[in-house]
Amino acid sequence: MSKLRCVKGMHDILPEDMPKWHYLENCYRNLVSDYGYEEIRTPILESLDLFVRGIGESTDIVEKEMYAFEDKGNAKLALRPEGTASVIRAFLQNNLEALTPVSKLYYIGPMFRRERPARGRYRQFYQAGAELIGIEDATADAELIGMAVTFVKTLGIQNVNVQINSLGDPETRPAYRNALVQFFSKKKEQLCNDCVRRLDTNPLRILDCKVEACSIAAQEAPNVFDYLSDDAHSHFSDLQQLLSLHDVNFTVVPTMVRGLDYYTRTIFEIQGGADILGAQSTIVGGGRYNGLVKQLGGRNTPTIGFAFGIERLLLLLGDNAKESVKPTVFVAGVGEGGLERTIRVSRQLRNCNFKVEAPYKNGSLRSQLKRADKSSAVVAVIAGADEALQNAVTIRNMQNGEQQIVPLDELEPKIRELM
Ligand code: ATP
Ligand code: MG
């Protein structure tokens, strides 16, 4: 029989890696709650239609990468490839806008895209994201970008590059689109097959193509800033002024577009760790999507958000960036009734918030202490029959082997002294 393995491009996250994950997730939760964000958890499975309508039919995600299928009841479903469409669906379905004029929501969870696996690029990966729903002013854009940058820096990742651009509004997009079509039609022979198709379906995406010939062809493409409305222009210049109040250094990249159709006005990326991540060095992507709420059936509601790839951030974290693990206390039992005593003492210690390992079966003290060593216990508590007569136990410092008899009601402080 062939060995069972997890699906290509997907990974087990093992206990030894978990302290880093917890550290990152806790940093994220703490930081975004300081900005007033609250967590939302949506299902991993949604109707296919949500992503087709939300992300856009001619995006790579929907065209090529989505895990979409029919279930046994012929419902067309998809594993979520990103978080925003689901959050907005939940926002509308649960009428969250009736609760507060501004909703600030964050999420952490797995996403699924059938891409070619590489370092920092997987078919199941985790994102931490945030959405600020209800404010159109550039103050919201600047605060959100500032929050993302602060998070990366809190993790100790210093050398990052913040890139921003404006895609303008749906009213001015057709003119820019036409200009791109005209420009790239003359360079058709240089473009990859996908981009030749994009000329009809989604010409903006040619600017985002990772094929080298296409990026060369795009070098002198029309500039989006020549096509912005006055409002979009002033929104973008407000943003640039405000970002300095958040201590964000940035570069304006007029050719930057993003992989999803829903973006309007501000888009941004944070790049970092190219030496480690190679082509996967975009660690954060985000932007404004003023049309999405309406697109999904709600009222016109300005919104901005971002998402981080957690694995990519973890690849850039130093070894010290992890949650500290509690030291272990091992409880051993000897003599008549030893096993029962280990159960009682373990419960007493866990009530005092110690992390406790116990033997599960009777055995010699030697074999139990061996297990204590293996579980890297700092202290062993030996519940022997003689001490039990005086309501006491022996505690052993596992580093130097020193032992002392301690009454049960003084156990907690005595163990703390040894930790
Ligand atoms: P890329 O250009 O690297 O494909 P993207 O523009 O598709 O990224 P977004 O959809 O904006 O990415 O998602 C936000 C973040 O999620 C990315 O910046 C990245 O850190 C992470 N991410 C996206 N796709 C993957 C993946 N397949 N595996 C791991 N992380 C990913
Ligand atoms: Mg991608």
Side-chain angles (χ1 to χ4, degrees), residues 304-316:
I304 181 160
F306 63 66
F308 289 91
I310 295 186
E311 289 88 346
R312 290 189 193 180
L313 283 172
L314 287 173
L315 285 166
L316 302 184

Side-chain angles (χ1 to χ4, degrees), residues 190-237:
Q190 280 167 257
L191 301 178
C192 73
N193 289 341
D194 275 342
C195 282
V196 171
R197 201 165 34 83
R198 285 178 186 134
L199 256 180
D200 292 324
T201 56
N202 200 345
L204 259 75
R205 293 300 316 277
I206 302 175
L207 299 172
D208 190 38
C209 182
K210 306 228 156 76
V211 175
E212 201 185 343
C214 300
S215 14
I216 294 172
Q219 266 163 12
E220 273 151 36
N223 190 320
V224 66
F225 295 115
D226 296 334
Y227 296 85
L228 296 189
S229 66
D230 291 348
D231 276 356
H233 254 303
S234 65
H235 183 95
F236 195 58
S237 62

